[in-house]
Amino acid sequence: MSKDDTHTIEKLLAELERMPGVGPKSAQRIAYWILNTDEETAHNLANTISEVKDRVHFCKTCFNYSTGDECEICADASRDHSQICVVCEPRNIPPIERSLAFKGVYHVLGGEISPIDGIGPEDLNIQPLINRLSNSEVSEVIIATNPNIEGETTASYLARQLKPLGVKLTRPASGIPVGGDLEFADEVTLGRAFEDRREL
């Protein structure tokens, strides 16, 4: 194997290790899979990654991922647009959808308040949420941030900002473990948490 070959593989390994949850051993397994798979499969993977980066952006209304101006959920007239579920990241939406417990629409904050990481309220999509509430007939906002310190801090801040607007504020009930992430909660737990949500 030439120096150029070694450098190319090392570059691939370094890029893979930048992915969340991928350490040196996982990066090595993925790299060898890419090297050993047929050319068409490898090119399809590369093209799909490029296509996702080119076509997918944030929904102008809720900041979920979308290929159009609005995501499928915001554009769906059959959804209950009087209920908005606030989540931290787009990845929090699929598990809630799988629970079948929520038929409203969403608002993605784009993170959570974390002073230690230098993330404050001004870094999140909070003002667009306030604008949505001011310009629509929303009757309930469900604050479904993660049940950890950052998520609770964000929920408390949102409650203070939104209460003066006169909208009903609720938070999913117990069932989601404290310190856990919504994306790892099972559908039954999430479903029960939404059914038993409490008012803030």
Side-chain angles (χ1 to χ4, degrees):
M1 189 179 289
S2 70
K3 284 187 177 180
D4 283 346
D5 293 338
T6 303
H7 176 71
T8 301
I9 294 171
E10 285 176 353
K11 186 179 175 184
L12 174 60
L13 288 168
E15 290 299 319
L16 290 171
E17 283 182 41
R18 293 173 59 189
M19 297 168 65
V22 177
K25 288 185 179 179
S26 296
Q28 201 171 52
R29 281 195 297 271
I30 296 168
Y32 285 128
W33 176 84
I34 292 170
L35 290 167
N36 291 323
T37 195
D38 61 275
E39 196 169 329
E40 183 181 0
T41 300
H43 282 298
N44 284 343
L45 174 61
N47 291 336
T48 301
I49 291 171
S50 284
E51 184 180 356
V52 164
K53 291 304 293 179
D54 289 340
R55 295 190 58 214
V56 177
H57 50 266
F58 292 118
C59 169
K60 67 177 184 179
T61 302
C62 75
F63 299 94
N64 187 14
Y65 292 131
S66 176
T67 54
D69 286 341
E70 281 194 318
C71 68
E72 291 181 358
I73 294 173
C74 285
D76 187 349
S78 70
R79 305 284 300 209
D80 183 357
H81 288 255
S82 71
Q83 282 189 326
I84 295 179
C85 177
V86 179
V87 295
C88 294
E89 302 285 355
R91 66 174 178 261
N92 299 140
I93 294 176
I96 296 172
E97 286 294 285
R98 289 194 299 270
S99 77
L100 303 177
F102 180 68
K103 302 299 180 186
V105 293
Y106 294 90
H107 187 88
V108 180
L109 295 174
E112 51 195 1
I113 297 171
S114 178
I116 197 168
D117 296 316
I119 302 172
E122 67 281 357
D123 300 308
L124 306 179
N125 300 318
I126 293 175
Q127 189 57 50
L129 173 61
I130 293 171
N131 295 343
R132 284 180 75 181
L133 298 180
S134 303
N135 302 323
S136 65
E137 297 297 323
V138 176
S139 61
E140 180 183 9
V141 174
I142 303 167
I143 302 176
T145 53
N146 290 316
N148 53 26
I149 293 173
E150 293 81 8
E152 293 295 337
T153 301
T154 305
S156 296
Y157 179 86
L158 281 175
R160 289 195 303 272
Q161 297 300 307
L162 303 182
K163 267 188 178 179
L165 301 178
V167 67
K168 180 182 179 182
L169 302 176
T170 59
R171 185 136 170 78
S174 60
I176 300 173
V178 174
D181 288 327
L182 285 174
E183 63 186 296
F184 300 122
D186 64 271
E187 293 85 349
V188 174
T189 298
L190 264 175
R192 287 175 180 166
F194 266 78
E195 287 166 6
D196 298 332
R197 63 184 179 271
R198 55 187 168 82
E199 188 164 356
L200 296 175

